[in-house]
Amino acid sequence: MAFRFHIAAAILALVFTIVHASDPSPLQDFCVAVPDANAGVFVNGKICKDPKLVEAEDFFFPGLNEPGSTSNPLGSNVTTVNVNQIPGLNTLGVSLARIDFAPYGLNPPHTHPRATEILVVLEGTLLVGFVTSNPGMNMKNKLFTKVLNPGDVFLFPEGLIHFQFNKGHSNAVAFAGLSSQNPGVITIANAVFGSKPPISRDVLTKAFQVDKNVVKYLQSQFWRDNHYYP
Ligand SMILES: *[C@@H]1O[C@H](CO)[C@@H](O)[C@H](O)[C@H]1NC(C)=O
């Protein structure tokens, strides 16, 4: 009986760790992160500053009215404000980004492994979309896409591949809320073709069903990250 209970408890514990995909809930008002780069101890999240030493600055970040520079090949710049910019975000499960686009600028297909994203357009016209995970045998991943104008809000569910493209010939600006203090970003092209060390050419040639020279060409590109961490 006791043994069975233990098995059930173990299974439940496992299920809960699997189901609980987003940031864990805080266990106190706040747990302002201390710079822990040299702490020599690594925890899930960051260790807390003494609450008596916490000040308003710990919850503050200025300057998001300034556009990030879009003079790069993608014509976009994602200025991220996460727990590394605002230490007070530690354990609170949210963060923010400002995304600037030059005319025809692109925030290329990417995913946030730990966050859902809700985006609002302030300026310009964006073609956005996300693709579902593999739906099943012989079925295609479904694209949900939309053209957004100022004031429009669009949602990108956690973990799914998405993009934003400025289809107008003026600049565009959007802000995004993300459901993690540290959403993470995997830019698909960078991760697949720009990793170090590189993924074996045999693997990519077969995965993408192309000639080896196509993979060679793609791997020789400089896959720049359009994210900026002030
Ligand atoms: C993004 O903008 C910042 C601030 O203007 C700049 O320092 C950074 O180099 C830009 N990043 C890219 C990829 O252009």
Side-chain angles (χ1 to χ4, degrees):
M1 186 65 198
F3 177 69
R4 259 197 221 158
F5 173 78
H6 280 120
I7 300 242
I11 290 171
L12 268 180
L14 195 67
V15 165
F16 275 110
T17 42
I18 292 165
V19 167
H20 199 128
S22 293
D23 290 7
S25 307
L27 303 172
Q28 62 280 301
D29 275 4
F30 47 74
C31 163
V32 173
V34 290
D36 57 2
N38 303 317
V41 51
F42 297 93
V43 296
N44 188 20
K46 296 185 184 282
I47 50 180
C48 312
K49 186 174 177 178
D50 179 348
K52 290 191 289 294
L53 303 177
V54 169
E55 50 189 14
E57 292 298 309
D58 292 322
F59 304 99
F60 174 72
F61 182 85
L64 223 54
N65 58 326
E66 294 292 335
S69 161
T70 55
S71 42
N72 59 59
L74 287 167
S76 70
N77 195 316
V78 184
T79 306
T80 43
V81 182
N82 62 33
V83 68
N84 297 311
Q85 285 72 39
I86 305 187
L89 278 177
N90 193 33
T91 75
L92 296 182
V94 289
S95 58
L96 187 71
R98 173 187 171 125
I99 313 164
D100 289 286
F101 303 86
Y104 309 107
L106 171 70
N107 190 15
H110 64 280
T111 127
H112 304 291
R114 292 177 290 276
T116 288
E117 171 175 343
I118 183 164
L119 179 109
V120 56
V121 179
L122 261 69
E123 220 180 284
T125 308
L126 295 181
L127 168 70
V128 305
F130 70 83
V131 181
T132 64
S133 54
N134 303 5
M137 251 213 311
N138 300 323
M139 289 165 71
K140 294 203 182 284
N141 307 63
K142 184 169 181 177
L143 169 69
F144 291 89
T145 183
K146 187 108 184 130
V147 173
L148 306 181
N149 291 300
D152 290 351
V153 174
F154 199 76
L155 192 70
F156 305 100
E158 181 164 335
L160 302 188
I161 294 179
H162 60 282
F163 59 85
Q164 296 115 14
F165 175 64
N166 178 8
K167 61 189 245 89
H169 42 253
S170 55
N171 291 339
V173 186
F175 281 79
L178 295 123
S179 64
S180 169
Q181 67 176 35
N182 180 24
V185 56
I186 302 168
T187 307
I188 307 305
N190 300 36
V192 173
F193 298 111
S195 71
K196 196 175 170 194
I199 298 176
S200 153
R201 224 160 254 172
D202 295 333
V203 170
L204 295 180
T205 303
K206 190 143 280 180
F208 289 88
Q209 303 273 302
V210 292
D211 189 90
K212 224 169 199 168
N213 287 320
V214 177
V215 168
K216 197 172 169 185
Y217 171 79
L218 287 168
Q219 287 188 319
S220 70
Q221 299 302 302
F222 178 65
W223 296 102
R224 178 196 263 273
D225 186 3
N226 66 336
H227 283 65
Y228 172 51
Y229 306 92

